[in-house]
Amino acid sequence: MKIFFDHQTFSLQDYGGISRYYSELINAINNTQADEAHLSLLFTDNIHIRDVYDKFYSLYNGNSFPRKISIQYRLNKLFCKYEIKKNNFDIFHATYYDPYFVNLIRNKPSVVTFLDMIHERYSNKYLGLAADRRITKRKRELAEKSTAIIAISENTKNDIIQLFNVEPEKISVIPLGSSLQKVATFEPVYSLFSDRPPYLLFVGNRDYYKNFVWFIKAICPIIHKYKIHVICAGGGAFNSQERQLLSTLKIQDSVIQEPITDNKLAILYQNAIAFVFPSLYEGFGIPILEAFTCDCPCILSNCSSLPEVAGDAALYIDPEDSETLVNAVENLYSNNRLRMKLVERGRERLVSYSWKETAVKTLNLYHSL
């Protein structure tokens, strides 16, 4: 088969979990002997796909300019439409939720991956999510008109069924993998740098449902009591509201934001007391697999897909009850036997997840269509 992947995610993202998923899937398919993944794309600065293929151009030599993403998106969309009309593919897989292709692919089977239902669950609570009024309408149209839907967790599948009234038989659950690799490090167990105390690790974006403000307020007594730090890996520099919060709580010197590469992120996981994921909702939760890979114990919210992914290899908290977080951190901080047990269970759990397995299950779905 020849599977046509469109431009959308790679026009919108320079990096991130969605584009990493499609990059890994496309690469895995093209490493098989029987099937071919074709990515219809001209311009992108996405680091994940450019690590795999060097055939794409960087618009304006990678430099930014006003409305660059919008212009890049439109150019790539025109190119996609041109390639779709050539009709040289067997399956169409949309990489985001713009349904522009529905009337162009004729009778070819189409697949869409639903990575989460965050907008549908939380747009009434967060104005930033509510601002994107098109996404739910587009997702609903694709849920109706696509031949098959991939959900990345059972939790996401259940949300699609409940919110969009989709027949369960139309949805295949195909979990994700992790691209992060453990690195050799001679650093102490708890400290990445010799002049820093033990730290908890928070990874990625901090806005909306990620629950960062609640997490900081809840963990503040632990920071003062045990003189530990919190390292926020990625997610951009702290904004003015975050800086004000840290100053008000008198922990501005104990909560640090670190820009990351994959190598640095792996070291941060490997040396943390624990990775804390207090999110209110996740479609899957790739950072859990990253932590397992790096032998980092996990403290996770007890909601959405997180217990499904981590199983018995994590401690769970109520992301609205500060006491549960404090108890979990103190328990893990003082109990090395518990740490080792969670690390071992994480290794065992990781066996069930790989990009190779994601590709195999996805190819089986394509063949069934």
Side-chain angles (χ1 to χ4, degrees), residues 97-99 114 117 119-120 132-145 164:
Y97 304 121
D98 184 348
F114 276 34
M117 299 296 282
H119 284 80
E120 293 72 23
D132 190 349
R133 297 184 178 92
R134 297 179 301 172
I135 191 166
T136 293
K137 181 180 178 181
R138 288 178 165 186
K139 287 167 75 174
R140 194 181 294 277
E141 180 177 350
L142 290 183
E144 177 187 347
K145 295 183 178 179
F164 286 170

